[in-house]
Amino acid sequence: MSELIRQARLDHVDDVYQQLLQMHEGLDEAQSLKVCAKLILTLANHIGDSAVVMEAIELARRTAPMSAPGPG
């Protein structure tokens, strides 16, 4: 079993970021969520280690910004 690598090691990170943004162009919210899910599942399959994927899910959830309370 591997551990989640947390240090930056992605080459061409700006290009990847731009592609992620462009991936959503022209899509409605439901389509954007679906394409994100497909990307996540593809990358999770590539990783191939459920424990690492679960650790990444927990990290993402724990560090996600909390929604601001609505008016009222």
Side-chain angles (χ1 to χ4, degrees), residues 51-53:
V52 171
V53 174

Side-chain angles (χ1 to χ4, degrees), residues 36-57:
C36 278
K38 287 181 178 185
L39 176 61
I40 290 164
L41 290 171
T42 299
L43 292 173
N45 184 65
H46 178 76
I47 291 166
D49 185 328
S50 295
V52 171
V53 174
M54 297 299 238
E55 187 179 347
I57 291 169

Side-chain angles (χ1 to χ4, degrees), residues 7-69:
Q7 67 271 16
R9 62 180 216 161
L10 183 64
D11 59 342
H12 308 288
V13 68
D14 290 335
D15 294 337
V16 172
Y17 181 73
Q18 285 301 314
Q19 284 294 313
L20 287 169
L21 292 178
Q22 289 174 6
M23 178 176 77
H24 295 278
E25 287 180 5
L27 302 179
D28 62 26
E29 184 176 3
Q31 291 168 322
S32 285
L33 290 172
K34 185 180 268 189
V35 77
C36 278
K38 287 181 178 185
L39 176 61
I40 290 164
L41 290 171
T42 299
L43 292 173
N45 184 65
H46 178 76
I47 291 166
D49 185 328
S50 295
V52 171
V53 174
M54 297 299 238
E55 187 179 347
I57 291 169
E58 176 58 31
L59 177 66
R61 179 73 174 144
R62 192 173 59 246
T63 59
M66 300 304 285
S67 299

